[in-house]
Amino acid sequence: MLDFELDSRLWGARSIVASCGNMECQIYIIQEGELPPTQHQLQVLESFMRLAEADVATDLADYALKYCEEVEELIDLKEEGIEIDKKNISNHFNVTTILIPELGDSDSAFVFLSADCEWEEEHGMQFLFENGKIIWCGDHGTLPFSPQWNSIITAESEEARHAILDRVLS
């Protein structure tokens, strides 16, 4: 069991995370006020940490490559002096943070991963997992701290939740 400490709305701890390539990551759990993490949040974290490293690494690489290519459509990386070996995209980003957001009554296991990446050094990159699978990757944002997140986790059905997610993440 990790020893979480409260800092503002975030419960934080550090741990080696096998599913993220045995890297030491900062782990945060968001809770309103000074309430401790919920059992559901702790279960979501535990489940994520048990995911097979190879499966997560493949998914991370696939989504990171897509995000890199989206950035390339807007910025000439070579002109900026940034060389990315797309066949080895995993060499160009590093997962640094795991965030378990407030989950409300949602049955879904949402996990945000933040990563530093060479093609977006200022904002980094963020992945959103739902039930062990990546459903989005893009620039590091504030979604888990926003009013939109509350509308996602309080949606009346999975279909409604995904409709809101699609609007917010597009």
Side-chain angles (χ1 to χ4, degrees):
M1 182 69 157
L2 297 173
D3 291 324
F4 285 95
E5 293 184 18
L6 181 62
D7 181 18
S8 187
R9 286 182 60 193
L10 300 175
W11 289 88
R14 291 192 72 75
S15 181
I16 301 292
V17 181
S19 58
C20 293
N22 287 316
M23 298 294 295
E24 184 175 41
C25 294
Q26 182 67 45
I27 300 170
Y28 292 112
I29 298 178
I30 300 175
Q31 265 301 74
E32 192 64 42
E34 293 186 11
L35 296 173
T38 66
Q39 191 62 33
H40 186 207
Q41 287 174 309
L42 294 172
Q43 289 169 343
V44 166
L45 175 60
E46 185 178 319
S47 293
F48 181 81
M49 291 178 77
R50 284 192 314 240
L51 291 175
E53 176 187 353
D55 294 340
V56 173
T58 299
D59 287 348
L60 289 174
D62 290 346
Y63 276 82
L65 179 60
K66 289 176 191 170
Y67 179 54
C68 179
E69 290 171 345
E70 288 174 17
V71 170
E72 268 187 324
E73 290 177 14
L74 304 171
I75 299 168
D76 186 344
L77 295 177
K78 287 185 181 182
E79 189 176 287
E80 297 289 321
I82 302 169
E83 295 282 333
I84 303 294
D85 176 3
K86 292 182 181 177
K87 291 182 181 175
N88 295 299
I89 194 74
S90 296
N91 294 336
H92 300 281
F93 70 92
N94 182 39
V95 174
T96 59
T97 307
I98 298 171
L99 175 71
I100 308 300
E102 289 189 76
L103 298 172
D105 293 330
S106 169
D107 291 333
S108 289
F110 289 107
V111 176
F112 287 88
L113 293 187
S114 295
D116 294 332
C117 60
E118 293 177 16
W119 59 89
E120 178 52 278
E121 289 183 346
E122 184 177 343
H123 299 111
M125 171 173 59
Q126 190 171 62
F127 302 88
L128 175 56
F129 283 73
E130 182 181 19
N131 302 326
K133 296 290 179 193
I134 298 174
I135 61 170
W136 176 81
C137 175
D139 68 342
H140 189 274
T142 60
L143 179 60
F145 301 96
S146 71
Q148 291 95 344
W149 185 253
N150 191 51
S151 64
I152 291 165
I153 62 171
T154 59
E156 293 180 15
S157 67
E158 186 175 334
E159 185 176 289
R161 181 172 44 255
H162 282 274
I164 297 167
L165 272 166
D166 289 344
R167 272 196 320 273
V168 170
L169 297 174
S170 60

